[in-house]
Amino acid sequence: MKPEAVSNAVSQDGLEIPLIDFSAFMSGDETTKRTTAQSIVHGFQRAGFIYLKNHGIPKADVANTFAESAKFFRRPSSQKEAMGWTTPEANRGYSQPGREKTTDLKDAADIEAKRAEEGADLKESFEIGREGEPNHPNHWPDRFDDNGADFKKQMLHFHDTCKQLHMQVMRAMAVGLGIDESWFDSFCDGGDNTLRLLHYPEVQSTAFKKNKNTVRAGAHTDYGSITLLFQDMAGGLQVLSPNGNFIDATPIADTIVVNAADLLARWSNDTIKSTKHRVVEPPIKADVHPARYSIAYFCNPNFDRFIDAILGTYDELKGDKKYEGINSGDYLAQRLAATY
């Protein structure tokens, strides 16, 4: 029986994505906290996705971040390109429309073939990492005007706010897995995470009709531990069902979509799923689809940590541990290198 804090956000074609009241974990009694945590883990194990409501990030904070993101993408191309993305190791800065092809392919030749078939993603993005990295500084528009300083202040604040939620979700996952609540803390307290602002420009519906393979973001899995996704109400996100069909993950106001990523799946010995998803033409029929904005906070284990299977996810006697341990930063840099 489902706890009162849990309902379904998506239920179609065998895909069950729960909508979970996160306040039940943060402030509930011990029984409620435990059952909510178990629902979070169950959602990741079955679908790889959950929705969180009452997650603790104020509506005004999310709205301000979206507003600053929209203003950033209205800047002249010359300014944005002066803050261009450079290397997978840095993973900071601006990527113009046409640069990226989102896919889970790893071979460069396969990615180029995919790009030729489908075209590049119909989006532009801006990546912000942990502030204060001497070898990999963030790029800020405060060099251009005072509005750039406001942007920087809001993004640094939001990066830190999301870091705190990441820590809380990982604590919930620990409780749900039956290990110590603080087990993940030393793996995730560094804030080696990426705040990614995304703008999918207005597009004619004919762009999708001319090439049926055209997408705003190609089918892929994420790389790190979890992703916190804030989306507007435009729609277009789809998640792969167990039956092999892409199902709409319809926006629900004031929620965060949270998905498990590849390194967490590996960390959990594949007891947690990292599920393919994509962004396609919105389901509403129109001659022109308006711009779509989203904010993805990609959460990672600290880059200096060695990631080996989580306690209780394998049996030493049975020898069912699937993966060798790996350094978090090396793994993520390798995955990013194939995307750009």
Side-chain angles (χ1 to χ4, degrees):
M1 190 169 75
K2 292 181 181 177
E4 292 181 5
V6 182
S7 58
N8 277 334
V10 177
S11 180
Q12 185 179 343
D13 197 45
L15 181 67
E16 304 283 341
I17 302 180
L19 170 61
I20 298 172
D21 184 346
F22 198 55
S23 67
F25 175 78
M26 295 294 290
S27 57
D29 59 40
E30 284 304 310
T31 299
T32 302
K33 182 175 181 176
R34 184 177 63 256
T35 55
T36 303
Q38 290 168 343
S39 294
I40 289 171
V41 170
H42 188 60
F44 286 142
Q45 289 173 334
R46 289 193 64 194
F49 274 76
I50 62 174
Y51 285 58
L52 292 183
K53 65 179 181 178
N54 298 324
H55 43 71
I57 299 180
K59 293 180 187 179
D61 211 356
V62 176
N64 288 341
T65 307
F66 269 106
E68 288 294 337
S69 174
K71 285 192 285 187
F72 173 85
F73 287 115
R74 289 196 293 269
R75 286 182 174 273
S77 295
S78 59
Q79 290 186 7
K80 292 185 288 188
E81 289 168 6
M83 297 178 281
W85 191 95
T86 52
T87 67
E89 291 75 21
N91 193 30
R92 288 159 166 82
Y94 173 72
S95 295
Q96 70 270 30
R99 175 168 187 172
E100 186 181 0
K101 180 59 194 173
T102 308
T103 174
D104 59 356
L105 297 172
K106 298 179 179 67
D107 181 77
D110 291 342
I111 294 170
E112 283 308 307
K114 192 77 168 174
R115 184 190 293 268
E117 176 190 356
E118 297 182 355
D121 294 344
L122 302 178
K123 69 174 189 289
E124 56 182 337
S125 64
F126 188 71
E127 322 273 343
I128 301 161
R130 183 175 66 170
E131 184 75 341
E133 285 288 315
N135 296 323
H136 303 302
N138 283 311
H139 304 284
W140 298 113
D142 56 347
R143 70 180 90 168
F144 300 114
D145 50 49
D146 290 342
N147 289 333
D150 295 337
F151 173 87
K152 178 179 179 180
K153 180 180 179 181
Q154 180 62 28
M155 295 308 156
L156 287 176
H157 165 72
F158 200 68
H159 192 288
D160 189 60
T161 298
C162 290
K163 174 192 168 185
Q164 300 309 315
L165 181 57
H166 171 216
M167 295 285 290
Q168 293 298 336
V169 173
M170 296 306 288
R171 287 170 183 165
M173 199 176 308
V175 172
L177 288 169
I179 57 180
D180 186 83
E181 182 174 341
S182 62
W183 194 88
F184 289 107
D185 283 7
S186 65
F187 288 93
C188 302
D189 56 1
D192 286 330
N193 307 320
T194 299
L195 176 62
R196 185 178 216 203
L197 311 178
L198 289 147
H199 171 222
Y200 304 85
E202 176 182 284
V203 60
Q204 299 278 339
S205 61
T206 52
F208 300 97
K209 293 182 176 67
K210 287 177 183 176
N211 183 350
K212 297 294 185 183
N213 294 314
T214 297
V215 291
R216 281 178 154 175
H220 65 285
T221 54
D222 294 341
Y223 304 150
S225 54
I226 61 172
T227 301
L228 310 177
L229 178 68
F230 305 80
Q231 54 177 340
D232 64 14
M233 301 303 288
L237 175 66
Q238 293 185 328
V239 177
L240 190 66
S241 78
N243 296 321
N245 301 305
F246 279 100
I247 304 300
D248 291 331
T250 304
I252 299 175
D254 304 321
T255 66
I256 303 172
V257 177
V258 186
N259 63 280
D262 294 346
L263 191 50
L264 178 59
R266 179 179 177 133
W267 206 357
S268 74
N269 206 40
D270 287 338
T271 59
I272 285 171
K273 291 183 178 180
S274 178
T275 304
K276 278 189 183 182
H277 49 286
R278 66 183 186 179
V279 181
V280 298
E281 182 178 14
I284 298 173
K285 301 301 180 186
D287 293 333
V288 179
H289 294 294
R292 178 183 187 263
Y293 292 89
S294 65
I295 299 166
Y297 189 75
F298 296 107
C299 306
N300 306 304
N302 300 344
F303 290 162
D304 63 353
R305 290 307 304 260
F306 188 75
I307 302 303
D308 210 351
I310 298 167
L311 295 171
T313 61
Y314 65 98
D315 187 325
E316 198 81 63
L317 295 175
K318 292 181 180 178
D320 59 358
K321 181 179 170 186
K322 294 183 177 181
Y323 305 103
E324 295 296 321
I326 192 168
N327 173 266
S328 170
D330 291 345
Y331 174 86
L332 293 162
Q334 291 167 11
R335 294 296 306 274
L336 279 165
T339 304
Y340 291 86

